[in-house]
Amino acid sequence: MVISPSLIISSLNLGILTILLGSIFFFSKSYFSKGNVNFPLIKTTSACLSVNNDKEETIEYNSGPFAMAILKVLAFLSVLSLLVTCNNSIQSINITLSLWLSNTPLNISLNFIYDQYFLVFLSVALIVTWSIMEFSFYYMTEDPNSSAFFRLLTIFLLNMLILTCSNSLFLIFLGWEGGGFLSFLLISWWTTRNDASSSALEAVITNRIGNIGLITFMALSALNFNSSNLTNILSSNENLTPLLPFLLFGLILAAAGKSAQFGLHPWLPALLEGPTPVSALLHSSTMVVAGVFLLVRTSELFSSPLITHSLVLILGGTTALFAASTAIAQHDIKKIIAYSTTSQLGLMVTAIGIGQPALAFFHICTHAFFKAMLFLCSGSVIHSLSDEQDLRKMGGLSKLLPVTSSCLILGSLALMAPLLAGFYSKDLILEATSASVLNLLGIVLSIVATMLTAVYSFRIIFFCFSLSPSCSSPFSHSEENFNLNNALLRLATGTIASGWFFSNLLFAPPSFNVTSLAKGTPLIVPIIGVAALFMSLISSTSNSIGSNAHSATTSQWFFVDAVHLSIITMSLALSFFSSRTLDRGWQENIGPQGIAPTSTALSKISQAGQIGLIKRYILSSMASVLVILALSLLILS
Amino acid sequence: MRQIVSTFLFVTVVSGTIIVVSSENWFIIWVGLELSTLALVPILCSGFSPRNVEADNKYFLVQASSAALLLNGALGQAWLTGSWSILDPVNEVTSICLSIALAFKIGLAPVHFWFPDVLQGLPFFQGLIIATWQKIAPLILMFYFSQLGFSYLLITPSLISVLIGGWGGLNQTQVRKILAFSSIGNMGWLVITSAYSFNAAIIMLVIYLIINTSLFLLFDHLKVSTLGHLNTISQLSPISVALVLLVMLSLGGLPPLTGFILKFTSLYFLVANNFIILSSIMIIGNLQDYFFYLRISFNTSLFLFPQHIISSASWRNSTIISPLAPKAWLSSVSTVLSTLAIPLTLPLYIIT
Amino acid sequence: MVVYVTLIVMLFGSTLVFYSLSPYYSALGLVVFSVPGSFVLSFLGSSFVPIVLFLVYIGGMLVVFPYSSAISPERFPSVNNLGEVVGLVFLFSSWVFMSFDNFQDLKNIFHCFVSGESLVGSNTFYNSGGVLVILGVFVLLVALVGALIISRGIESTIIRAIWLW
Amino acid sequence: MALARCARCLRFDRFSPVVRVSSARYASGDVSLPGPYPETPEERAAAAKKYGMRVEDYEPYADDGWGWGDYPKLKKQHADDRDPHGDWDFPEDRRNWGEVMHIEQDLFVRQRPNAYKQNRKIPLWKQSMILGGILTTLATLGILGNKYKYFVPVGPKQYPFNNLYVEKGGDPDAVPDTPKNYTFPTSSYI
Amino acid sequence: MSATKTLSHAQRVLRLYKRSVRHMESWIPERPAFRYEATVLRARFDEHKNENDMKKAAQILQAGEEEFWEKQHPQPYIFIDSFGGTRYERNIPAPEWVLNKWHPIEKARYPYYFARREKRIAEEQARWDQLVEEERQLIEQGKLPPKEALPS
């Protein structure tokens, strides 16, 4: 058979990457007219653009429609390749493009790997990003330069795809770095806003800490296995006894930095300074799951030492508990969803810790859909309330925004109710945790986190939709926008269907032997949580005034306050003498302020020889040659 | 000058270089060098402006003296070994004579004085010939020669020339002098690499010739001779702002550009031969080169000087060069090669 | 010794050529250069080439003398400082003496580059040395063209680089 | 004090352009900042006048070799703690014209996180004790959880007829004897 | 100029009232409950409305501020356009003086606007000079106190 499925898949995916790469450089403004009926976006464009009424033409000076069209096509292509994989199960296709710097001891090659992980992730990321792009075309229309925004989103997606599809550590690092840098650009999108720039700084610095881990891993693997190829490293992980702890440390540090585990988490709520589509893209499918994805890719390395497993387990559990307990006391709707993202990441890392990377990846895929949908819902609420983000100013929105509110409820339910996307993976993870022999704390933490998940999800629902309206006048027409509704409904479909699809058609989820209590816990615990929430809401507010526990959860366990001060004091104490003696001491004299006069004097000296007399030139040349000869003869003899 | 005469002279220059490169007889090599020099002299002073002819005289005298030294060395070689072949081992005196002569021809450090003056006195196109084509033959000889193994006579001058090229260009305001000093520095890089690997030196020569050609052609097209005039580029032809910027950075050796391979290959071989301290010295010299490359780039792209009315009015009519003109074709091709050709250099790098 | 003296005279003539400001002395220098040159060649044992060279030079000089005196009748022909000329001559001759201490062996050089045969008679022009001869003729042609072109534009030139010190 | 002495010999202070590069000098282009350490009260008064402060408020850094000459030691106040609605000359960075900056001013600009937060409702020690308490509790729980594990011990699935030896395609002639069933091998789990 | 200014008693009371109402609003999301609590709070302020003994009033104010400090909200509601809000400092338009920094070439592309702008600036400058002159004359006539120099 000439056309093998692997051929189809590899060509499709290469084509997708290439088209995405090309679409970045596509700077042309999309143009279409009112008479063009078959284009669905026409209402939005006529709504948001300068229409001159004499000519019935609307000129769209925006690259948004182009990006949307590209992403739509690519999403369909990726789904096609995914279906090809469903039918005939393929192993990983390994494509080595060019041998780079071959005769150095370490050979570096552009090395792509198309395995099931990447194929599923590709389609999920493309569908989610397509919806987010559509939504952001609705959300960012008032922005001065929104075309650049769409382009940045596309570049971001491309970086993430490079990270997921590449097999050589250098490409992985490329995508990793690109993700960090693009997140910096996107968080500080409103550059005049001071909080935005400081949050962007925080994010990029924390990512640097994670990159230290990844670079450690790269360097040690180049030292150990003499290759930057991930498959080689994983296949030859027997002969690395001395350096294995450092390798694993690098990996865990990288993952913790990138996907905001406890200790390196503060940049993730800081992401919210960016526009809502950015938060949706970064939190759902691209940025924060990169660390977990790296752990999934390299999970074979974790096989040998058990202590690493339990460490990762405790880390993930702590993150889940921390984020969930913080989320129940926030008042910013985006912050609540961001912390729920963090707790879901903690669950993924827990799944890695108990040695079930497939479950972690499954949770990534299902989590992408409903988390993106939740963010888009909050974005639509925020946009309709004219940038009002505080929960206490929302209320009674279910009458104003029916689609949004239903999608919000669906997304909140997806974490705890059966037959929805989140439940498939989360239930599996909880089962695996309770069946694992590692640590009792893991299952405890994840169960508590699940309960708190129910609490904050229902808190959002309660505040947004059940209270009496307490907001300033919302735009009632915002839900007539096709981009908003299409995106929300598409993601809602994904939220309902993706869990069933993945678990039945793609992955073969393992089965565990657990007690009926542990099996029933994921069903029982949310109900308890919701009951507790309503109890506390009914007997609410005034009694919790001034309690330390409340302010502790509200201000994130005081982590940021305590740690910032300690870090700054420590680094000042450490670097005071060095900075005083070097940066503001003798090094300043020798270095920056010493080099300039020296080189100026030297260049003046060397220029004194340039008087345009040829005889002197020849004479001085001969003289200097003779000097050199004499010196060299003296040295050699 | 008439078309046919200039064509004849160009063909003679090329044939002289080809004779030098393809022959292994010292006498024929001398004849070829003389041939290209004699043919180049009228080309250089075709403008007959006083500066022009002065530079021409300097060039002719330096080339004649270096040719005399070369012939002297060749005669001594032939007299001692009894054959004119360049493959014979050389003894001290003849090797000194020959290397000094070749250093004269390529303007290596202690004997580099003539080069900035000559290049400053000439228009850009003639300067292009001197700075690129006339360097091929002596450099190839030099490469052959450094294989014969007396490296101290080459390493010291090339180190000095890297440093001199850096310091000389630091407070220059003339673009051509800056280019001359940068080419002195690059000559140092080439020669010191040729002491360790012939192929690497050849590759570096090719890349350097391409980058230098694109630079000279760009400046010849834009007619900018001092740093102060550089800022008019952004009005004359906006596209060449990016070109000048990229080619300058490529000459400095910024990694994604082609010039990076030049420095990378050289440093690879130097460090492989435990040449670490001196190669760091060369890197320092190259940093000074980089300083004035960056100065040119800044003046080209980032500054917007207060200007007189002509250049400030001329942002409307940006100069259009027809793609059929050979100069435009050559400059575009060489610019693309000198900025984007790093994947093409990989096979070159692999054969070394 | 005689060869040595003739060589020094040769060097003196050639230096005089490019140090003379007026065509008289340059032509004189050419003559002074040509005669000992043909002497040296005859010492080297070849008889035909020196004669041809001598005739060419003398004939050429006889042409050059009236021509140059016609185009540049300056009243006080002068040489840019003569002491330098002498100094250069002795510098060159001492250098030559240092590098080839025995002049009688110059034969070997000619022998080895026309593959062992001596230049007696003009036969080598037609077999093995022919390529060299053609090359030399081509070089002379190029030099002539260059000289013509330069001398067309010579009126607008300054030779500052030479006689400033 | 030996440290101070080595500091003095490390930085050629106040004769050299070293102190020129302190951040205060870049803020206000006055090159005479900071000057030598004021010993006499007159010098203190002059320095205080130079920095536009009252003599009572003026307190230079200790001159132990690491000091900053006569630069005043100011209160560590982050820009976020200043009144955002106040009437500043430069409202974007909440400074007044000619106001003396802290010597480590770059710690207190608005782009930096506010580490020196003033008037916290819960004092810092209580905050850090809460955080540490939570973390230590988690750590102890983790250690305990490593000690006392909770899981359902499971054995491999077992079938009759020698675990379906023949049905699984084994050789019917050479049937091995019955394996020992219903035992829980413990080694394969921990 | 500076932000540290002493407040009068009335100002402090008013600020305390406003802050406590705001924080109570952040504590109690439901509108009716909040209205009830706010009325109670207002009543508590009103019962000391005509307190004439300054000492006692200061003590009461002190007590009230301490109570507020105890009961303040860790995340009070911030209006979106005020400091710390979600839309604070977002997309600030460039100040007008940026146009002074434009290059003549760039200015040449909008000739009419810049012509009018030059005229406007000239008029503003003239008006400013006139004001300064008047003030100087008033100072000379002693109708205004002389200006002190800015701190250097």
Side-chain angles (χ1 to χ4, degrees):
Chain A
M1 176 176 173
V2 180
I3 301 180
S4 67
S6 61
L7 183 65
I8 299 177
I9 288 164
S10 48
S11 50
L12 271 178
N13 295 332
L14 277 177
I16 286 171
L17 285 181
T18 322
I19 294 172
L20 208 55
L21 182 61
S23 72
I24 289 165
F25 300 102
F26 205 93
F27 279 74
S28 85
K29 316 287 188 185
S30 320
Y31 167 88
F32 44 85
S33 74
K34 249 187 195 167
N36 190 349
V37 246
N38 49 13
F39 208 101
L41 302 160
I42 197 59
K43 276 201 181 54
T44 78
T45 57
S46 54
C48 70
L49 286 169
S50 65
V51 193
N52 46 359
N53 299 327
D54 6 307
K55 291 193 263 80
E56 40 84 39
E57 267 200 348
T58 300
I59 299 180
E60 166 57 56
Y61 290 117
N62 200 330
S63 73
F66 170 70
M68 280 190 289
I70 282 282
L71 280 174
K72 179 192 288 179
V73 174
L74 293 188
F76 283 136
L77 284 181
S78 64
V79 170
L80 187 58
S81 69
L82 189 61
L83 292 181
V84 173
T85 356
C86 292
N87 293 342
N88 31 32
S89 68
I90 57 151
Q91 276 65 34
S92 67
I93 311 166
N94 204 331
I95 302 177
T96 301
L97 277 190
S98 85
L99 210 58
W100 196 262
L101 299 188
S102 69
N103 65 349
T104 50
L106 169 71
N107 63 347
I108 305 161
S109 61
L110 266 62
N111 199 339
F112 294 107
I113 182 167
Y114 295 141
D115 54 352
Q116 203 181 20
Y117 285 150
F118 171 64
L119 292 169
V120 176
F121 187 87
L122 176 69
S123 43
V124 170
L126 276 172
I127 293 173
V128 167
T129 317
W130 167 28
S131 316
I132 290 172
M133 191 70 75
E134 229 174 344
F135 173 78
S136 58
F137 184 60
Y138 149 77
Y139 190 82
M140 299 296 288
T141 36
E142 284 84 359
D143 200 85
N145 50 358
S146 49
S147 316
F149 183 77
F150 303 132
R151 197 163 296 119
L152 282 187
L153 287 189
T154 321
I155 300 172
F156 198 99
L157 176 65
L158 180 69
N159 276 313
M160 189 60 193
L161 291 185
I162 287 175
L163 165 65
T164 45
C165 78
S166 70
N167 192 14
S168 93
L169 277 176
F170 283 87
L171 272 180
I172 287 183
F173 188 71
L174 185 76
W176 190 274
E177 259 309 303
F181 181 59
L182 263 296
S183 71
F184 176 76
L185 287 184
L186 284 171
I187 295 169
S188 64
W189 176 252
W190 289 307
T191 43
T192 57
R193 182 167 159 80
N194 181 37
D195 303 347
S197 52
S198 49
S199 313
L201 272 178
E202 190 176 0
V204 87
I205 288 168
T206 324
N207 277 314
R208 294 288 85 69
I209 299 179
N211 291 344
I212 291 172
L214 187 55
I215 292 175
T216 316
F217 180 66
M218 284 167 63
L220 285 181
S221 53
L223 188 66
N224 239 2
F225 317 114
N226 198 1
S227 110
S228 73
N229 207 337
L230 210 48
T231 46
N232 302 355
I233 294 169
L234 296 183
S235 59
S236 72
N237 63 348
E238 281 74 15
N239 53 0
L240 50 90
T241 45
L243 283 180
L244 183 57
F246 303 101
L247 278 166
L248 293 180
F249 166 74
L251 272 181
I252 294 172
L253 183 61
K258 202 66 167 181
S259 50
Q261 293 310 297
F262 183 78
L264 294 178
H265 64 277
W267 69 273
L268 202 135
L271 273 181
L272 303 173
E273 280 299 333
T276 314
V278 176
S279 323
L281 186 58
L282 266 62
H283 281 150
S284 67
S285 64
T286 51
M287 173 93 167
V288 294
V289 299
V292 183
F293 193 87
L294 185 70
L295 287 186
V296 169
R297 266 286 163 83
T298 57
S299 53
E300 285 89 341
L301 279 179
F302 286 81
S303 57
S304 35
L306 217 54
I307 178 67
T308 328
H309 273 294
S310 46
L311 273 181
V312 175
L313 178 66
I314 299 296
L315 182 65
T318 315
T319 314
L321 178 68
F322 162 77
S325 66
T326 308
I328 62 176
Q330 298 300 313
H331 294 89
D332 187 340
I333 180 168
K334 281 170 75 176
K335 267 215 172 100
I336 296 174
I337 305 176
Y339 277 115
S340 83
T341 309
T342 318
S343 66
Q344 297 313 309
L345 287 171
L347 270 186
M348 295 173 200
V349 175
T350 311
I352 299 269
I354 58 177
Q356 299 285 352
L359 291 186
F361 183 72
F362 185 23
H363 198 51
I364 286 178
C365 298
T366 51
H367 169 262
F369 281 102
F370 64 82
K371 191 47 60 80
M373 188 177 66
L374 279 177
F375 264 108
L376 294 197
C377 292
S378 66
S380 109
V381 169
I382 289 165
H383 200 63
S384 341
L385 297 187
S386 65
D387 300 328
E388 178 59 70
Q389 292 190 10
D390 202 307
L391 269 182
R392 292 164 292 207
K393 286 296 170 182
M394 304 167 181
L397 289 177
S398 51
K399 302 174 186 55
L400 296 169
L401 310 167
V403 182
T404 308
S405 49
S406 47
C407 286
L408 193 48
I409 294 174
L410 178 66
S412 313
L413 282 181
L415 270 173
M416 66 203 80
L419 302 180
L420 287 181
F423 190 77
Y424 279 93
S425 47
K426 188 170 182 174
D427 184 26
L428 274 176
I429 290 178
L430 286 180
E431 270 184 38
T433 323
S434 54
S436 78
V437 306
L438 269 175
N439 199 332
L440 189 50
L441 187 57
I443 175 67
V444 175
L445 288 181
S446 37
I447 291 290
V448 177
T450 314
M451 191 180 72
L452 294 177
T453 308
V455 173
Y456 59 72
S457 312
F458 269 94
R459 189 156 164 273
I460 296 181
I461 297 171
F462 177 75
F463 271 99
C464 281
F465 306 119
S466 70
L467 286 184
S468 57
S470 66
C471 55
S472 57
S473 66
F475 310 149
S476 56
H477 71 270
S478 62
E479 279 213 347
E480 298 167 1
N481 195 321
F482 277 166
N483 296 326
L484 174 62
N485 289 354
N486 291 345
L488 282 180
L489 295 179
R490 189 178 306 119
L491 287 178
T493 321
T495 308
I496 296 173
S498 61
W500 169 82
F501 176 74
F502 290 143
S503 59
N504 287 342
L505 296 186
L506 283 175
F507 308 125
S511 67
F512 306 98
N513 306 74
V514 289
T515 59
S516 56
L517 170 65
K519 180 64 183 169
T521 326
L523 284 174
I524 302 162
V525 158
I527 302 170
I528 302 173
V530 176
L533 171 75
F534 279 109
M535 296 311 288
S536 68
L537 280 178
I538 287 164
S539 70
S540 84
T541 59
S542 310
N543 55 4
S544 69
I545 285 180
S547 76
N548 279 353
H550 180 268
S551 35
T553 50
T554 308
S555 50
Q556 304 123 29
W557 295 4
F558 305 118
F559 183 84
V560 174
D561 298 351
V563 167
H564 270 171
L565 184 58
S566 56
I567 286 179
I568 288 182
T569 328
M570 192 177 59
S571 59
L572 268 187
L574 287 181
S575 68
F576 176 72
F577 296 121
S578 67
S579 75
R580 207 67 177 77
T581 50
L582 300 180
D583 289 354
R584 297 168 177 184
W586 54 273
Q587 191 200 38
E588 182 71 19
N589 284 10
I590 297 173
Q593 295 184 2
I595 283 178
T598 320
S599 50
T600 317
L602 280 170
S603 69
K604 284 209 176 83
I605 290 171
S606 75
Q607 214 152 24
Q610 296 288 340
I611 27 118
L613 303 178
I614 190 65
K615 273 184 206 161
R616 289 198 188 178
Y617 284 175
I618 295 178
L619 267 187
S620 48
S621 314
M622 283 307 176
S624 43
V625 164
L626 285 181
V627 167
I628 287 178
L629 282 180
L631 283 182
S632 48
L633 286 180
L634 278 182
I635 292 167
L636 290 188
S637 60
Chain B
M1 208 183 329
R2 282 171 154 251
Q3 190 70 32
I4 175 164
V5 182
S6 57
T7 321
F8 168 73
L9 290 174
F10 274 118
V11 169
T12 317
V13 172
V14 174
S15 62
T17 306
I18 289 171
I19 288 172
V20 172
V21 171
S22 58
S23 77
E24 53 107 29
N25 184 334
W26 276 118
F27 190 76
I28 308 293
I29 282 171
W30 172 76
V31 171
L33 287 174
E34 279 299 307
L35 190 59
S36 54
T37 306
L38 281 177
L40 195 59
V41 162
I43 295 179
L44 292 189
C45 72
S46 59
F48 287 122
S49 72
R51 292 294 312 260
N52 210 335
V53 176
E54 175 186 351
D56 189 15
N57 278 305
K58 285 175 181 173
Y59 179 70
F60 176 68
L61 288 174
V62 169
Q63 295 300 316
S65 51
S66 66
L69 259 177
L70 186 100
L71 184 59
N72 191 337
L75 282 171
Q77 182 75 8
W79 180 51
L80 291 169
T81 64
S83 91
W84 291 88
S85 160
I86 62 171
L87 303 177
D88 291 339
V90 289
N91 81 320
E92 290 297 327
V93 181
T94 53
S95 69
I96 288 168
C97 290
L98 294 169
S99 54
I100 292 171
L102 293 176
F104 254 114
K105 280 198 178 297
I106 65 176
L108 212 54
V111 293
H112 69 284
F113 299 97
W114 62 276
F115 194 60
D117 282 7
V118 171
L119 210 58
Q120 177 65 24
L122 296 174
F124 269 110
F125 191 65
Q126 279 86 342
L128 168 66
I129 303 173
I130 285 193
T132 58
W133 182 263
Q134 283 304 96
K135 289 197 187 302
I136 295 178
L139 269 177
I140 298 286
L141 283 184
M142 202 67 138
F143 296 162
Y144 270 125
F145 213 57
S146 50
Q147 303 303 312
L148 298 184
F150 55 104
S151 52
Y152 73 90
L153 249 185
L154 294 185
I155 285 171
T156 330
S158 34
L159 272 175
I160 297 172
S161 65
V162 169
L163 291 176
I164 288 276
W167 283 321
L170 266 186
N171 54 3
Q172 287 292 344
T173 59
Q174 300 291 324
V175 171
R176 280 173 291 189
K177 281 199 174 182
I178 284 181
L179 290 181
F181 279 111
S182 81
S183 90
I184 289 169
N186 281 300
M187 283 307 121
W189 280 88
L190 292 181
V191 173
I192 206 167
T193 316
S194 72
Y196 291 112
S197 157
F198 184 77
N199 295 336
I202 292 287
I203 290 160
M204 290 168 66
L205 174 60
V206 171
I207 295 172
Y208 171 67
L209 288 189
I210 290 173
I211 297 177
N212 224 5
T213 313
S214 50
L215 259 186
F216 271 94
L217 284 175
L218 273 174
F219 285 133
D220 177 40
H221 164 57
L222 299 164
K223 299 284 184 301
V224 283
S225 60
T226 70
L227 290 180
H229 294 157
L230 276 173
N231 65 316
T232 60
I233 294 177
S234 57
Q235 279 92 32
L236 286 176
S237 70
I239 184 64
S240 44
V241 170
L243 294 187
V244 170
L245 188 76
L246 284 177
V247 178
M248 265 299 165
L249 293 182
S250 165
L251 185 55
L254 199 68
L257 303 172
T258 315
F260 170 63
I261 282 296
L262 195 140
K263 301 289 186 294
F264 178 74
T265 321
S266 162
L267 286 179
Y268 184 75
F269 280 100
L270 293 184
V271 173
N273 292 296
N274 293 328
F275 199 70
I276 293 165
I277 297 168
L278 297 181
S279 54
S280 58
I281 293 176
M282 292 169 68
I283 290 173
I284 288 171
N286 192 47
L287 274 180
Q288 288 158 338
D289 284 0
Y290 213 86
F291 175 74
F292 49 79
Y293 297 154
L294 281 181
R295 175 184 279 164
I296 289 184
S297 318
F298 278 141
N299 288 354
T300 309
S301 56
L302 297 184
F303 294 165
L304 205 55
F305 295 176
Q307 293 144 348
H308 48 84
I309 184 60
I310 302 164
S311 65
S312 66
S314 67
W315 61 270
R316 289 190 199 78
N317 43 15
S318 63
T319 56
I320 301 156
I321 46 174
S322 74
L324 297 180
K327 246 187 211 175
W329 179 81
L330 184 57
S331 62
S332 52
V333 168
S334 58
T335 314
V336 169
L337 278 181
S338 61
T339 49
L340 304 177
I342 196 159
L344 299 185
T345 59
L346 281 172
L348 295 176
Y349 172 57
I350 285 166
I351 45 174
T352 57
Chain C
M1 191 56 206
V2 185
V3 184
Y4 188 46
V5 173
T6 47
L7 272 173
I8 289 180
V9 177
M10 254 176 86
L11 287 170
F12 177 76
S14 50
T15 329
L16 192 60
V17 171
F18 66 88
Y19 262 90
S20 69
L21 300 182
S22 59
Y24 289 123
Y25 290 119
S26 47
L28 178 63
L30 281 180
V31 177
V32 174
F33 173 73
S34 65
V35 179
S38 37
F39 276 152
V40 171
L41 277 184
S42 56
F43 283 142
L44 290 179
S46 57
S47 59
F48 177 70
V49 184
I51 288 182
V52 176
L53 200 63
F54 190 68
L55 289 180
V56 168
Y57 264 110
I58 292 304
M61 288 317 112
L62 286 181
V63 178
V64 166
F65 259 121
Y67 178 64
S68 54
S69 49
I71 60 172
S72 66
E74 65 245 76
R75 192 167 301 163
F76 305 113
S78 68
V79 175
N80 182 20
N81 49 3
L82 202 58
E84 229 181 276
V85 180
V86 183
L88 268 182
V89 168
F90 280 108
L91 188 66
F92 285 154
S93 44
S94 55
W95 169 255
V96 168
F97 181 68
M98 275 195 301
S99 44
F100 316 100
D101 51 359
N102 187 351
F103 283 87
Q104 303 309 323
D105 289 351
L106 283 180
K107 273 204 203 68
N108 309 346
I109 303 168
F110 291 92
H111 289 175
C112 54
F113 91 82
V114 286
S115 63
E117 306 175 17
S118 74
L119 268 174
V120 182
S122 66
N123 54 351
T124 34
F125 285 153
Y126 302 112
N127 40 36
S128 65
V131 186
L132 295 180
V133 173
I134 292 168
L135 196 56
V137 170
F138 183 63
V139 173
L140 285 179
L141 174 66
V142 170
L144 176 65
V145 172
L148 284 178
I149 291 169
I150 292 177
S151 58
R152 262 185 71 241
I154 203 69
E155 67 275 0
S156 69
T157 61
I158 47 173
I159 319 285
R160 195 172 50 207
I162 291 205
W163 38 274
L164 270 182
W165 176 260
Chain D
M1 149 182 190
L3 194 55
R5 231 182 299 116
C6 82
R8 278 211 185 77
C9 67
L10 271 178
R11 44 176 286 257
F12 334 122
D13 48 355
R14 92 171 60 106
F15 311 113
S16 72
V18 177
V19 280
R20 272 194 284 133
V21 297
S22 66
S23 48
R25 174 232 176 185
Y26 287 137
S28 71
D30 187 0
V31 191
S32 73
L33 285 182
Y37 182 79
E39 274 80 8
T40 66
E42 294 76 20
E43 290 181 4
R44 283 184 80 92
K49 186 171 177 0
K50 185 170 76 177
Y51 293 106
M53 307 169 68
R54 293 166 56 232
V55 191
E56 296 79 20
D57 305 341
Y58 175 71
E59 174 55 39
Y61 283 85
D63 187 22
D64 55 354
W66 302 105
W68 287 111
D70 67 344
Y71 203 83
K73 183 189 291 180
L74 299 176
K75 186 158 58 82
K76 289 182 173 178
Q77 188 190 32
H78 194 275
D80 286 352
D81 291 333
R82 300 187 166 202
D83 179 13
H85 309 293
D87 174 20
W88 302 98
D89 293 342
F90 308 107
E92 60 275 2
D93 47 8
R94 296 182 195 154
R95 279 190 63 228
N96 284 326
W97 189 76
E99 179 184 1
V100 186
M101 297 191 304
H102 193 276
I103 193 80
E104 302 285 354
Q105 175 71 16
D106 46 2
L107 282 178
F108 308 118
V109 293
R110 284 179 58 203
Q111 279 78 17
R112 294 279 182 281
N114 183 3
Y116 302 94
K117 201 175 289 174
Q118 290 162 359
N119 55 38
R120 313 172 186 245
K121 183 188 170 191
I122 300 175
L124 191 59
W125 62 270
K126 198 186 278 183
Q127 290 184 358
S128 31
M129 275 184 60
I130 291 173
L131 180 61
I134 295 172
L135 293 186
T136 39
T137 323
L138 283 178
T140 41
L141 282 182
I143 295 167
L144 289 182
N146 260 343
K147 196 184 294 293
Y148 311 106
K149 298 187 182 304
Y150 160 75
F151 61 94
V152 189
V154 194
K157 235 169 162 37
Q158 294 164 352
Y159 298 97
F161 311 113
N162 300 345
N163 293 336
L164 306 175
Y165 178 74
V166 185
E167 286 75 0
K168 284 179 184 168
D171 180 10
D173 305 333
V175 176
D177 52 357
T178 314
K180 246 158 91 280
N181 278 347
Y182 309 119
T183 61
F184 293 124
T186 56
S187 67
S188 66
Y189 293 101
I190 296 101
Chain E
M1 141 160 189
S2 164
T4 61
K5 54 169 77 82
T6 57
L7 303 173
S8 70
H9 182 78
Q11 279 173 319
R12 284 175 66 188
V13 171
L14 292 179
R15 294 193 178 198
L16 174 64
Y17 175 65
K18 181 171 182 180
R19 268 185 297 157
S20 28
V21 171
R22 281 299 173 201
H23 278 247
M24 181 171 290
E25 188 183 5
S26 341
W27 273 119
I28 307 171
E30 304 95 340
R31 203 68 187 164
F34 161 66
R35 285 312 313 160
Y36 174 72
E37 295 282 340
T39 329
V40 172
L41 183 72
R42 179 56 189 257
R44 288 182 59 199
F45 272 84
D46 281 345
E47 72 189 55
H48 305 291
K49 184 166 49 181
N50 32 25
E51 175 66 57
N52 294 329
D53 183 358
M54 207 54 218
K55 191 157 169 236
K56 204 144 168 243
Q59 286 170 356
I60 293 168
L61 177 60
Q62 185 68 27
E65 280 176 343
E66 278 163 4
E67 181 187 355
F68 168 73
W69 179 259
E70 279 313 310
K71 293 190 174 185
Q72 69 177 346
H73 197 284
Q75 274 185 351
Y77 171 70
I78 304 172
F79 287 93
I80 50 180
D81 284 333
S82 68
F83 163 69
T86 54
R87 215 170 54 187
Y88 178 65
E89 282 182 335
R90 181 188 294 184
N91 290 337
I92 299 173
E96 200 265 352
W97 54 262
V98 170
L99 293 178
N100 298 333
K101 307 291 182 190
W102 277 29
H103 195 270
I105 300 173
E106 296 163 315
K107 284 185 180 179
R109 303 178 186 178
Y110 308 97
Y112 304 111
Y113 172 75
F114 275 98
R116 271 192 278 113
R117 182 169 177 276
E118 293 306 323
K119 193 135 63 77
R120 198 192 73 231
I121 288 176
E123 288 167 358
E124 286 172 357
Q125 187 58 38
R127 175 60 182 157
W128 173 256
D129 296 340
Q130 179 190 355
L131 286 178
V132 170
E133 180 56 30
E134 288 171 0
E135 190 172 2
R136 194 182 57 78
Q137 284 173 356
L138 285 180
I139 291 175
E140 282 177 353
Q141 296 158 9
K143 293 175 185 169
L144 277 182
K147 288 243 180 297
E148 78 275 11
L150 285 169
S152 62

